[in-house]
Amino acid sequence: MVKKPASDPDAPKKLSTYTAKLDDAQMELLRGALTERGWTPFDVAYARFAFKADHLKANVTAYESGKIVIAGKGTEDFVRDVLEPEITRVAQLGYDEVLHPDWFESHAGLDESGKGDFFGPVVAATVIADKAAIEGWIKAGVKDSKKIVDSQIMKLDKLIRATPGVAVETCLCGMTRYNELMARPYANLNSLLAWQHATAVTRALGRKPVAWGLLDQFSKQPLVQRELKKKGVPGFELRMRTKAEEDPVVAAASVVARAEFVRQLHELSLRFGAKLQKGAGPLVKVQAAEIIERFGVRALGDFAKLHFRTAYEVVAAAGKLDELPLPEPRAKMEWGG
């Protein structure tokens, strides 16, 4: 029996998923290319079309939004041999360093997690890395945490923190302190988050100085830059832009921030006695009401962000506003037809 040659452990792993955005004309080109190649159409809920090729171990799903998702072992070959030369006519796969040279410079990435979650804190994270670490993270699949499940986030967080020569810092307030700060007159979450980011990046720069960093823009005002100026941080340029998580170091910061949020939420869940829900949906309200019933209304602030509309609604429904006075939120805007 002929033995297969051992795979090179240092060789980059092939992509198993890939997403892209196409216009209508490109969508139809893609449909035609898949049909001509004999790919098998199949149904996917809410998809414009979907095809699979068992012999290539790949499938392609196209959505009305223009987003396409390619998945399977044949993903990388399909992108390189069909999608780029025939459909988009732009070579991007494997050209990150050419298309985005700034990604591979030594720099800081900043991101946060927990802003939209009723339970648990807001976590700000800074990661500083050099080219070698960045290349390794890309190969390992580090990307925006919103695109990764929690189990993978925790694994990647360990990888990022264990990478030699990097600096990782987080900043958060415990729930009691957080609610105290947010209850102050003129308190603003973006201002508090700016202070958290400035604190984390200042600590990280103390361990590994770099000339610049990138932050996903959460405010039109340069709030973090102002906080850095107050802290007297010299020789550091903080850039801001939307969709900054495309940068692999910002993506790493998003993973670190989400991992720390997950850990904090787990601790609160142990105290509650069940897994606390993320977000601010109906199940969150049910759990908030249970906290009030079991621990008393003032204990809600040990678990949740009291400035959320959800807090007022749950406390009001329990008839406990006299025990935990919360300001009535502004009415939601209604748009007439």
Side-chain angles (χ1 to χ4, degrees):
M1 181 182 291
V2 179
K3 291 185 178 180
K4 292 183 179 180
S7 59
D8 181 357
D10 296 323
K13 294 180 180 178
K14 279 199 167 188
L15 287 177
S16 59
T17 60
Y18 187 84
T19 62
K21 190 87 170 179
L22 304 182
D23 59 30
D24 284 342
Q26 290 171 328
M27 281 283 198
E28 293 312 309
L29 273 176
L30 178 60
R31 189 201 298 267
L34 295 170
T35 302
E36 288 176 8
R37 285 170 168 78
W39 284 47
T40 305
F42 68 104
D43 292 330
V44 174
Y46 309 111
R48 184 168 177 169
F49 59 80
F51 287 83
K52 61 182 178 180
D54 292 336
H55 63 293
L56 297 176
K57 296 182 180 178
N59 59 71
V60 176
T61 306
Y63 296 91
E64 293 295 345
S65 63
K67 177 182 177 181
I68 65 163
V69 179
I70 305 161
K73 290 185 177 180
T75 294
E76 189 167 320
D77 293 337
F78 180 82
V79 173
R80 185 189 62 241
D81 299 336
V82 180
L83 184 68
E84 291 185 344
E86 297 184 24
I87 311 303
T88 65
R89 294 183 170 86
V90 176
Q92 289 185 304
L93 189 63
Y95 289 87
D96 284 341
E97 196 164 355
V98 175
L99 298 169
H100 308 285
D102 54 315
W103 285 6
F104 298 89
E105 296 176 8
S106 298
H107 66 285
L110 292 72
D111 205 9
E112 70 278 338
S113 184
K115 272 183 74 175
D117 296 285
F118 181 58
F119 295 123
V122 176
V123 180
T126 294
V127 174
I128 299 178
D130 297 325
K131 182 179 178 181
I134 296 164
E135 289 175 336
W137 293 345
I138 291 173
K139 290 177 183 177
V142 172
K143 54 187 173 183
D144 181 6
S145 63
K146 292 187 285 294
K147 300 178 180 178
I148 317 174
V149 297
D150 283 354
S151 58
Q152 185 67 7
I153 285 172
M154 304 312 286
K155 291 178 183 177
L156 290 174
D157 174 62
K158 288 182 180 179
L159 170 70
I160 292 163
R161 290 176 178 274
T163 303
V166 308
V168 177
E169 292 287 346
T170 60
C171 180
L172 60 92
C173 298
M175 296 311 302
T176 301
R177 180 60 175 161
Y178 176 90
N179 285 314
E180 287 175 358
L181 293 171
M182 290 302 298
R184 291 179 177 179
Y186 310 110
N188 178 278
L189 177 54
N190 282 346
S191 296
L192 177 57
L193 181 57
W195 175 84
Q196 289 181 237
H197 273 307
T199 300
V201 75
T202 300
R203 292 173 183 164
L205 288 169
R207 295 171 52 197
K208 187 176 179 67
V210 288
W212 66 277
L214 181 62
L215 167 70
D216 189 54
Q217 187 166 5
F218 64 87
S219 168
K220 292 181 180 179
Q221 299 298 318
L223 300 178
V224 183
Q225 289 89 334
R226 291 174 188 168
E227 291 294 332
L228 288 171
K229 188 174 182 181
K230 289 179 188 177
K231 291 178 179 291
V233 177
F236 178 73
E237 177 195 2
L238 181 59
R239 306 168 188 173
M240 298 191 304
R241 69 164 184 256
T242 57
K243 298 183 179 178
E245 296 95 337
E246 294 173 353
D247 179 292
V249 186
V250 178
S254 80
V255 168
V256 169
R258 194 61 178 176
E260 184 58 33
F261 173 81
V262 169
R263 281 190 286 268
Q264 294 290 326
L265 192 64
H266 176 69
E267 291 300 315
L268 292 175
S269 296
L270 291 176
R271 184 174 172 185
F272 174 60
K275 184 177 180 180
L276 289 168
Q277 298 294 309
K278 300 184 184 73
L283 289 177
V284 165
K285 282 189 173 183
V286 172
Q287 290 185 323
E290 189 176 345
I291 288 170
I292 293 172
E293 183 179 348
R294 290 171 55 192
F295 305 111
V297 68
R298 291 195 167 276
L300 185 62
D302 296 336
F303 296 86
K305 301 177 181 75
L306 296 181
H307 63 94
F308 273 41
R309 174 184 294 272
T310 302
Y312 178 87
E313 292 174 348
V314 172
V315 174
K320 300 287 187 178
L321 285 172
D322 56 330
E323 296 180 43
L324 183 62
L326 296 175
E328 185 173 359
R330 284 180 286 186
K332 292 181 180 179
M333 186 68 72
E334 298 287 345
W335 297 100

